[in-house]
């Protein structure tokens, strides 16, 4: 059944461990580097297990739509060797809607709104809900085309396939968003039973994305638009509901006004929010009025319909549930013109993994075992598999600067100057054909360093081309740009951003990145959310563990992710620089699993 000519190093051993764990219902934590072939190893092990366990199915969740593709590709390969394997996928419903695909409409609205509109369309029999039997496919687009040719709603066609499918590939919200999850685990067609599911969580280091699927926010603008909506549709909403809703919205808006403009997360008292706002609002009335408006908007705007009042209701309804069920594990925060309900204990979103048949959490930078157990809230036995280096370890060299740090309290022009000169110094020592990827702790530090770097660069004869990550930078555009350049290149990126997590810069299979500079350890900047999250985790697991789980491990995962950009194959060689003396602590070196050489910038350069 193995779809490739041979097994790569260590793959067979890992397959054995996974198969054994599946039989014993143990959860697997698979920490294996890029190039190991995690996806196929996991799919293959599960497929073999399914041969003897026909009642089981696999729900394989990935962070984004883009990450569905490599999994489908491997399933396609697997099916070419084992025709009995069936698979399907789910991405955002609006991206799989037949009506939208036919008209190529852009739908910029929350998934929850679209799901309600879809329900209305179906109740009016406007949708061709059909089973189709596609040949195997390796791309989302291939499947969408087949479904369109057959005049079938692709989302439902995929859903009908649940019955025969062994593998369902879906994006995170289908597992971690409580509203969207229902469409997988309880629905009119193609239901997956959690107790029979082997759940695979891809990129399981990325708890931020997992939590984001469960957090909820509401902007003052949305509340203001809800008021306008009430005026506009006053003819359709009974006066008594209208009056009540208007009063509720003003209560909410007045509350939000007090905190509007917070530049960083500002914690609000959840009891106060409940008492001052939520307890004074009849959510049934708000729900009824918002549904009337939503219905009219669907009549008028079709798939593009979005009711702002419905968003308000959804937010308050969510808060009400969380406040009742998870009082200690959530916090209410203000940021800009928004208020947000955020989780302070991620386990409330992830502990459902305990109810599955079993689960596999995998990543190239998987957090340690105790983190998985506590932060994910896993109660079952965990088999932690660390694959280690699969490429020659001598291809990686680590360096650390002991005379600089971006510690929050000591930041200033001296620090930024040192970082700028270090970057130029390192760039000059890396062969010109290789890119230097520089990773900063934040946009703010990056811009401060760059302002000095630009001036210092003018004094150097060698031409350097800089690519600077912006909030709207697109990975594909950067990759394309790089292909056209002949100068020395420095990419300036932010830790945890798009370029450090997703970019792959290779030519003929070899990495183009010759050095990665971490210009300051990317510890999170202090704010009320971080403090509240830290306080809750410390309360649950003690101060030391709390700090590790909330601050240290996520920081080091970002560093490892950045390092991971440089070595993509056995022939790649790279140098890694950490410009922050805090990295020399025993704990950090242990967690990063490195022994760096200490470097120092020649003092004449700073004179
Ligand atoms: S059921 Fe209809 S509205 Fe819903 S996704 Fe399919 S085609 Fe679109």
């Amino acid at each position: 059944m193995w779809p490739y000519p041979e097994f790569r190093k260590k793959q067979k051993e890992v397959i054995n461990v996974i198969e054994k764990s599946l039989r014993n219902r143990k959860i697997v934590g698979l920490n294996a580097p890029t190039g190991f072939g995690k996806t196929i190893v996991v799919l293959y092990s599960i497929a073999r297990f399914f041969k003897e366990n026909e009642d089981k199915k696999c729900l394989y969740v990935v962070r984004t739509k883009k990450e569905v593709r490599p999994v489908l590709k491997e399933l396609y390969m697997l099916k070419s060797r084992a025709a009995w394997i069936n698979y399907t996928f789910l991405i955002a419903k609006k991206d799989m809607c037949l009506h939208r695909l036919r008209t190529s409409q852009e739908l910029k609205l929350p998934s929850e709104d679209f799901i309600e509109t879809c329900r209305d369309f179906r109740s009016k029999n406007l949708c061709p809900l059909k089973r189709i039997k596609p040949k195997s496919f390796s791309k989302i687009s291939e499947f969408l085309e087949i479904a369109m040719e057959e005049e079938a709603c692709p989302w439902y066609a995929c859903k009908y396939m649940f019955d025969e499918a062994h593998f369902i590939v879906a994006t995170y919200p289908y597992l971690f968003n409580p509203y969207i999850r229902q469409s997988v685990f309880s629905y009119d067609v193609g239901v997956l039973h959690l107790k029979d599911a082997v759940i695979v969580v891809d990129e399981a280091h990325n708890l931020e994305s997992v939590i984001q699927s469960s957090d909820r926010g509401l902007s003052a603008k949305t509340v203001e638009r809800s008021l306008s909506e009430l005026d506009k549709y006053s003819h359709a909403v009974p006066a008594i509901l209208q009056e009540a809703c208007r009063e509720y919205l003003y209560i909410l808006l007045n509350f939000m006004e007090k905190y509007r403009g917070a530049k960083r997360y500002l914690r609000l008292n959840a009891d106060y929010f409940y008492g001052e706002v939520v307890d004074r609002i009849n959510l049934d009335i708000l729900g009824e009025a918002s549904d009337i408006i939503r219905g009219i908007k669907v009549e008028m705007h079709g798939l593009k319909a979005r009711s702002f009042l419905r968003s308000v209701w959804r937010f308050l309804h969510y808060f009400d549930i969380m406040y009742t069920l998870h009082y200690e594990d959530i916090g209410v925060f203000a940021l800009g013109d928004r208020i947000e309900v955020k989780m302070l204990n991620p386990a409330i979103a992830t502990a459902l993994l305990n109810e599955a048949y079993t689960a596999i959490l995998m990543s190239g930078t998987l957090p340690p075992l105790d983190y998985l157990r506590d932060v994910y809230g896993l109660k079952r036995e965990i088999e932690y598999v660390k694959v280690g280096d699969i490429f020659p370890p001598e291809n990686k060299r680590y360096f650390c600067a002991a005379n600089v740090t971006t510690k929050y309290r000591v930041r200033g022009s001296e620090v930024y100057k040192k970082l700028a000169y270090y970057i130029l110094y390192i760039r000059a020592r890396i062969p010109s054909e290789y890119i230097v990827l520089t990773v900063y702790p934040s946009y703010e530090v990056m811009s401060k360093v760059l302002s000095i770097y630009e001036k210092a660069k003018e004094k150097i004869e060698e031409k350097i081309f800089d690519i600077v990550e912006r909030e709207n930078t697109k990975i594909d555009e950067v990759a394309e740009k790089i292909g056209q350049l002949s100068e020395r290149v420095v990419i300036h990126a932010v830790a945890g951003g798009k370029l450090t997590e997703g970019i792959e810069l290779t030519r003929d299979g070899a990495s183009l990145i010759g050095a990665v500079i971490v210009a300051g350890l990317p510890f999170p900047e202090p704010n009320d959310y971080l403090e509240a999250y830290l306080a809750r985790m410390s309360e649950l697991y003690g101060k030391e563990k709390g700090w590790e789980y909330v601050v240290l491990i996520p920081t080091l995962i970002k560093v490892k992710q950045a390092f991971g950009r440089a070595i993509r194959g056995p022939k790649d060689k790279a140098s890694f620089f950490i410009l922050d003396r805090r990295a020399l602590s025993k704990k950090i070196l242990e967690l990063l699993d490195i022994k760096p050489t200490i470097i120092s910038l020649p003092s004449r350069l700073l004179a």
Side-chain angles (χ1 to χ4, degrees), residues 93 97-99 114 118 121-122 127 129 153 155-156 303:
K93 204 171 200 179
C97 170
L98 182 68
H99 303 304
F114 184 81
C118 168
F121 268 53
R122 279 180 284 130
C127 304
L129 310 182
C153 161
W155 194 88
Y156 265 85
L303 298 177

Side-chain angles (χ1 to χ4, degrees), residues 320-339:
D320 196 32
I321 293 174
M322 297 306 269
Y323 182 78
T324 311
L325 298 180
H326 301 289
Y327 177 75
E328 287 168 327
D329 291 324
I330 55 141
V332 184
F333 300 88
L335 181 68
D337 82 330
R338 292 166 63 80
I339 47 173

